[in-house]
Amino acid sequence: MAKNLVIVESPTKAKTIEKYLGKDFKVLASVGHVRDLPRSDFAVDVSNGEVALRYEVPKSSARVVSQIKREAKAAERVFLATDLDREGEAIAWHVAEVAGVDISQENRVVFSEITSDAILAAFERPRRIDDHLVDAQQARRAVDRIVGYRLSPTLWRNVSSGISAGRVQSVALRLICDREDEIRRFVAQEYWTVHGAFDREGTRFDADLHAVEGKRVVTPKKMEEYAEKGTQERYLVLGDGEAAALLQARAREVDTWTVTGVTRRETRRTPPPPFITSTLQQEAANRLNFSTARTMRVAQQLYEGINVGQEGQVGLITYMRTDSVNLAASALAEISDLVRSEYGERYTIARPRTFASRSKGAQEAHESIRPTSVKRLPARLARRLDADQLALYDLIWKRTVATQMAPAVLDSLRADLVGTDAGGAELTFRTSGQVVKFDGYRRVYGEGATAGEAQVGRAAPPGELPDLADDQLLRLIEVRGEQHFTEPPPRYNEGSLVKLLESEGIGRPSTYASIIQVLKNRDYVRLENRRFLPTPLGEVVTAYLKQHFAEVVDVSFTARMEEELDEIARGDERWGPMVSEFLGEVDDWISERKPERPRIPIEDAQCPTCGAQMMKVFSGKSRQWFASCQRFPDCKGSLPLDSYGNITTVAALQPDEDVPCPVCGKGTIRREGRYGPFYGCQDYPNCKGIVNVEQRIGLPCPKCGQGDLTERRSRYGKPFYGCNRYPDCDFAMWTQPLAQPCPNCGGPLKPPRRNAKNPVATCAHCEQRVPVEADPPRVETFEFVPGRRPAEPAGLGRS
């Protein structure tokens, strides 16, 4: 029996570490948290400014806890080697509590990479559990519980059942809703730009109209900024085609144009810092189209270990939850050697480049996210990694290597072309551009440019910069105007939302992915073209909290609480008084305020019946907005809303006459709801008939034989597969079935265990075991609309 027991979080991590430690060590996985607050109880006890949390061991962890207790009792020494952040420290403490491990001993082991050298070095210098980090995590859990369990019941009573508020997620949702409000209020403005083509000794190049009689030509957005500063008289906006055409005509009157203000300079671009959690999520979203959850899942796999062949199972990157931009001295030396050998001496730098953290509230002073060895080139690992793992590893590898490469060198040019029109007024065109003289770090971490390739603005010539000098005389070949319209601010995607949360100090590296996932799972937001739109449910939750509990969705209030949690982690503040005070505040809010369901005025919308103002009102049952008269119930006038919450017409919503309302028979309108798409009556809210869209998988229900199996979602957003005759038939399974049915009864087959040597599927109905190939294909869903009228032959009408 092994003398030493080591506890980590995941089985993969356990497998990798056990290989390094040898026969005297046994490594077990806690499989995440072994204790948590009970779901059925508030479990936050406050007394005289002190706080105690009542934990329980979930049923799902009971077997693991029993094994840990048994092995800990038999071992001579127990090491707690969970992750090195607050969450990992708390898991270590919980394991020690349930297993009876003496936390006064130095039995806590931390490391930022899972390699042989790092693991062996870490076990040579164990430390005690950091009580301050544990307290900070307990405080975070407590304040999250207070917001969720104290405020959510008011949402149930006043908005809709089964929804919730969250300390951090509600602020993130508010930011998304505020951006949507900006977009709705936005009114596009027309403006024009004027562009000229000039000739210099047979060479043509382009320039933009820059100034008219000393007034610089700008966009409407820029003019608003200058107006706020009181300097708008120095600038000019071409607001319509007539103004642009007039300036084009004046430009044609100029006989010759004189080159002035030629500026040539060499600029150096240094590489961006190595990845931290937030920047990795942003770049993976922008470059790889990865969601934050997908990024963190793949990064976890790379960190915990991959079988790379001769080396066996090894961690490929350092710990992926960090806000440090540091690189270890050993890594810097290895990167320098690789750059010299792979790219040549001119790409190296004289001394290692260091970076300063720009993250607000930066904590956890370990390393940035980097490869554990840059000698493991992505191309050499291609056969060992799946597509997602290779793409993310390649991104991390390139970013890390680029940080220690020479700057990119660019040649830039700017010149003004000045002429005087027939009226004696001065017009100025400007040309500018860049070419890459030396690609430097961009050779590895490209930004769309390589050496010798022009990086030019819209006014620069393709291929090379124009050879211009002061006092040269030029001829205008062509002038044209171009119409533009101002655009609303863009909706957030996952990358830009993470960037905003980080800049505002909302959440921490380990929480960004879970914040976004919660918003999706609870149907508070939806994705359209990879950008977030608030759902009606998300909008009403935000409106309700802003109206009645504004502190919960206040950015500065939430950021200050994050700072307090950081102070607890540093030992500068005690967690009990902080939690006790917050609970008192929240209880006072609830007792003093009389919240009700929000009714939001709709600007410039009048009731079609009585002419009063229309209000957006939320239906708790359908979880949709509808437009109702302000005088309801005295006036029952209503107007339809589109999927963005804007006033529209029934005709514009294009009711589907082939899907009749089951109540009144009128055509229905397709909408998105909490459990997926559905068709709602065009006469809503007067008629509330709906037709739910089924996501069928092509297999009959094996239990009742009458229904069809469909993919559905639980109230917590988790997919499952059940009979469409529910509640008359309660057949359900939680795993995605295989594409092939059971050969015995035709029921769905549960997939085999991953990486099984002899994969065997099991029937969910008759439990017959069926040998299958490795990684067999799963069922695919298709949409089925109950009650949809069949398509008619061409040329025939409905009788």
Side-chain angles (χ1 to χ4, degrees):
M1 179 178 291
K3 297 178 181 179
N4 303 291
L5 176 66
V6 181
I7 308 297
V8 298
E9 293 99 332
S10 80
T12 304
K13 187 175 175 182
K15 181 180 178 182
T16 308
I17 291 174
E18 194 167 56
K19 180 187 71 171
Y20 300 138
L21 292 177
K23 62 181 181 179
D24 287 337
F25 290 82
K26 181 172 185 176
V27 186
L28 292 181
S30 68
V31 196
H33 284 273
V34 295
R35 292 197 307 182
D36 200 359
L37 300 177
R39 297 186 64 176
S40 59
D41 188 10
F42 182 50
V44 180
D45 297 329
V46 177
S47 176
N48 298 322
E50 296 301 322
V51 177
L53 305 184
R54 284 181 278 115
Y55 295 104
E56 68 175 13
V57 176
K59 289 182 180 179
S60 58
S61 299
R63 176 186 286 183
V64 171
V65 168
S66 296
Q67 185 183 14
I68 291 174
K69 283 182 177 181
R70 184 170 60 252
E71 296 290 346
K73 191 173 181 180
E76 294 180 11
R77 191 170 182 187
V78 178
F79 291 96
L80 305 168
T82 48
D83 289 342
L84 70 165
D85 56 8
R86 293 177 193 170
E87 194 86 10
E89 204 75 15
I91 292 174
W93 177 74
H94 283 299
V95 169
E97 288 282 304
V98 299
V101 177
D102 185 0
I103 60 173
S104 67
Q105 301 294 316
E106 293 182 337
N107 49 21
R108 177 78 171 107
V109 177
V110 294
F111 39 83
S112 62
E113 61 181 84
I114 303 178
T115 59
S116 177
D117 291 344
I119 297 301
L120 295 178
F123 274 83
E124 289 177 0
R125 51 176 191 276
R127 61 168 173 80
R128 294 180 181 179
I129 287 178
D130 189 328
D131 293 334
H132 299 316
L133 292 180
V134 175
D135 289 347
Q137 184 60 29
Q138 289 201 95
R140 179 183 295 277
R141 194 73 183 88
V143 295
D144 288 349
R145 175 60 63 113
I146 290 167
V147 172
Y149 276 57
R150 288 293 206 252
L151 294 187
S152 295
T154 73
L155 280 164
W156 305 341
R157 290 191 295 268
N158 297 295
V159 179
S160 181
S161 62
I163 60 177
S164 65
R167 184 182 61 85
V168 179
Q169 84 202 27
S170 295
V171 182
L173 178 60
R174 187 245 173 97
L175 295 171
I176 293 171
C177 291
D178 285 353
R179 177 54 57 91
E180 196 65 25
D181 288 340
E182 286 183 65
I183 293 170
R184 286 179 183 142
R185 291 193 300 267
F186 179 80
V187 178
Q189 285 183 264
E190 180 186 10
Y191 71 100
W192 286 69
T193 52
V194 175
H195 312 282
F198 291 83
D199 174 73
R200 183 193 175 278
E201 297 179 356
T203 300
R204 172 183 171 136
F205 64 93
D206 297 329
D208 298 333
L209 181 65
H210 178 67
V212 177
E213 299 180 53
K215 288 189 174 185
R216 183 177 164 189
V217 178
V218 295
T219 65
K221 184 177 180 180
K222 280 290 183 183
M223 182 63 88
E224 289 177 7
E225 295 175 7
Y226 295 132
E228 291 177 2
K229 299 176 182 177
T231 59
Q232 66 272 24
E233 68 279 354
R234 304 177 193 170
Y235 303 93
L236 173 69
V237 172
L238 305 183
D240 52 42
E242 185 178 343
L246 177 61
L247 285 168
Q248 291 172 63
R250 290 170 60 182
R252 293 188 186 100
E253 296 172 355
V254 178
D255 294 327
T256 57
W257 297 81
T258 304
V259 178
T260 66
V262 174
T263 304
R264 291 183 182 273
R265 62 176 180 171
E266 183 180 274
T267 58
R268 293 174 177 268
R269 298 278 176 83
T270 55
F275 281 130
I276 59 176
T277 305
S278 58
T279 53
L280 176 63
Q281 291 171 342
Q282 292 163 40
E283 282 292 271
N286 295 333
R287 294 189 178 219
L288 306 178
N289 292 339
F290 279 15
S291 68
T292 52
R294 183 179 177 186
T295 298
M296 297 309 290
R297 181 175 63 251
V298 176
Q300 182 97 22
Q301 296 165 1
L302 296 173
Y303 167 70
E304 292 183 343
I306 304 286
N307 188 334
V308 296
Q310 190 172 358
E311 287 185 272
Q313 190 102 352
V314 63
L316 295 180
I317 64 170
T318 53
Y319 190 54
M320 62 284 163
R321 295 186 182 92
T322 175
D323 49 19
S324 168
V325 290
N326 295 330
L327 288 169
S330 58
L332 290 171
E334 189 180 64
I335 296 169
S336 178
D337 291 343
L338 179 129
V339 171
R340 184 172 287 104
S341 62
E342 292 288 327
Y343 305 105
E345 192 69 34
R346 65 194 298 238
Y347 286 90
T348 63
I349 50 180
R351 61 177 59 89
R353 183 182 286 115
T354 58
F355 300 87
S357 176
R358 290 178 292 179
S359 173
K360 185 182 287 188
Q363 58 183 29
E364 331 295 12
H366 46 80
E367 275 197 87
S368 59
I369 304 170
R370 62 166 177 84
T372 52
S373 173
V374 293
K375 294 178 182 178
R376 299 189 187 98
L377 304 182
R380 295 177 187 171
L381 296 176
R383 295 179 58 191
R384 298 290 179 174
L385 305 180
D386 64 30
D388 282 3
Q389 292 168 346
L390 181 61
L392 194 65
Y393 181 77
D394 182 69
L395 184 66
I396 295 169
W397 187 93
K398 287 178 176 177
R399 176 87 162 219
T400 304
V401 171
T403 64
Q404 303 304 311
M405 294 180 70
V409 181
L410 301 93
D411 275 342
S412 61
L413 165 79
R414 191 181 75 185
D416 289 341
L417 318 175
V418 180
T420 304
D421 66 11
E426 187 176 87
L427 304 180
T428 303
F429 282 76
R430 174 168 287 181
T431 186
S432 61
Q434 284 181 344
V435 291
V436 178
K437 185 177 180 181
F438 172 58
D439 55 1
Y441 77 90
R442 290 185 175 184
R443 179 167 176 183
V444 171
Y445 197 70
E447 297 177 12
T450 57
E453 184 180 357
Q455 278 254 305
V456 296
R458 63 187 178 189
E464 60 180 23
L465 297 177
D467 183 16
L468 298 177
D470 284 344
D471 300 325
Q472 287 177 338
L473 300 180
L474 306 178
R475 182 171 61 87
L476 178 67
I477 304 172
E478 177 189 358
V479 63
R480 60 183 177 83
E482 185 176 352
Q483 185 185 38
H484 308 272
F485 290 92
T486 56
E487 295 183 350
R491 295 184 174 97
Y492 298 114
N493 58 22
E494 293 207 11
S496 60
L497 182 60
V498 166
K499 186 175 183 179
L500 180 64
L501 293 174
E502 181 187 31
S503 67
E504 295 289 353
I506 304 300
R508 285 296 179 260
S510 60
T511 62
Y512 298 138
S514 61
I515 291 169
I516 291 172
Q517 199 59 45
V518 166
L519 294 180
K520 292 178 181 177
N521 290 346
R522 292 184 176 166
D523 194 37
Y524 291 159
V525 298
R526 62 186 175 89
L527 284 171
E528 186 174 288
N529 297 324
R530 297 178 53 228
R531 294 190 175 271
F532 289 113
L533 280 78
T535 63
L537 181 62
E539 287 189 292
V540 76
V541 167
T542 297
Y544 175 85
L545 293 175
K546 286 172 70 174
Q547 184 174 342
H548 301 295
F549 303 103
E551 297 88 345
V552 174
V553 289
D554 182 77
V555 171
S556 59
F557 180 87
T558 306
R560 173 56 194 150
M561 182 161 285
E562 292 289 351
E563 291 171 5
E564 286 191 69
L565 293 171
D566 291 344
E567 291 168 5
I568 294 169
R570 294 191 297 266
D572 297 334
E573 184 177 342
R574 293 173 57 234
W575 76 288
M578 177 265 198
V579 172
S580 177
E581 181 181 347
F582 182 63
L583 176 59
E585 286 182 8
V586 173
D587 285 343
D588 287 344
W589 299 341
I590 294 171
S591 63
E592 294 169 0
R593 303 170 189 181
K594 306 298 180 187
E596 59 184 16
R597 182 176 299 178
R599 295 168 62 88
I600 303 174
I602 304 175
E603 295 182 12
D604 303 323
Q606 294 182 332
C607 174
T609 303
C610 72
Q613 185 174 24
M614 297 298 288
M615 311 286 285
K616 274 175 68 173
V617 182
F618 185 77
S619 166
K621 184 176 181 181
S622 70
R623 297 193 169 184
Q624 296 289 317
W625 288 110
F626 63 93
S628 172
C629 179
Q630 175 181 354
R631 296 178 55 245
F632 179 87
D634 296 330
C635 175
K636 297 185 178 179
S638 65
L639 288 172
L641 299 176
D642 62 18
S643 59
Y644 301 103
N646 301 317
I647 292 287
T648 185
T649 63
V650 171
L653 293 174
Q654 299 179 331
D656 192 335
E657 301 297 336
D658 290 332
V659 184
C661 172
V663 177
C664 69
K666 293 182 180 179
T668 54
I669 297 167
R670 186 183 176 97
R671 298 187 183 275
E672 293 291 327
R674 181 184 184 188
Y675 299 106
F678 69 94
Y679 286 80
C681 183
Q682 63 176 279
D683 201 22
Y684 179 83
N686 299 320
C687 176
K688 298 181 179 179
I690 63 170
V691 177
N692 287 314
V693 176
E694 296 179 0
Q695 301 295 329
R696 295 192 175 182
I697 62 174
L699 294 175
C701 175
K703 184 172 182 179
C704 68
Q706 302 176 46
D708 291 277
L709 295 186
T710 62
E711 182 184 79
R712 296 156 60 191
R713 290 195 173 271
S714 72
R715 59 182 297 186
Y716 302 109
K718 184 177 179 180
F720 71 97
Y721 301 83
C723 182
N724 65 349
R725 294 184 61 246
Y726 178 85
D728 295 328
C729 176
D730 61 359
F731 176 83
M733 60 185 294
W734 289 99
T735 53
Q736 186 179 10
L738 301 186
Q740 68 181 87
C742 172
N744 181 47
C745 70
L749 291 177
K750 297 179 184 178
R753 182 169 50 86
R754 284 188 66 184
N755 301 322
K757 187 175 294 186
N758 299 302
V760 175
T762 305
C763 179
H765 179 55
C766 70
E767 299 187 352
Q768 177 164 325
R769 293 169 60 82
V770 181
V772 294
E773 61 186 25
D775 195 21
R778 309 288 184 96
V779 294
E780 295 183 0
T781 61
F782 61 91
E783 191 171 284
F784 180 82
V785 182
R788 178 186 286 279
R789 294 182 178 124
E792 297 177 347
L796 295 180
R798 193 178 286 122
S799 59

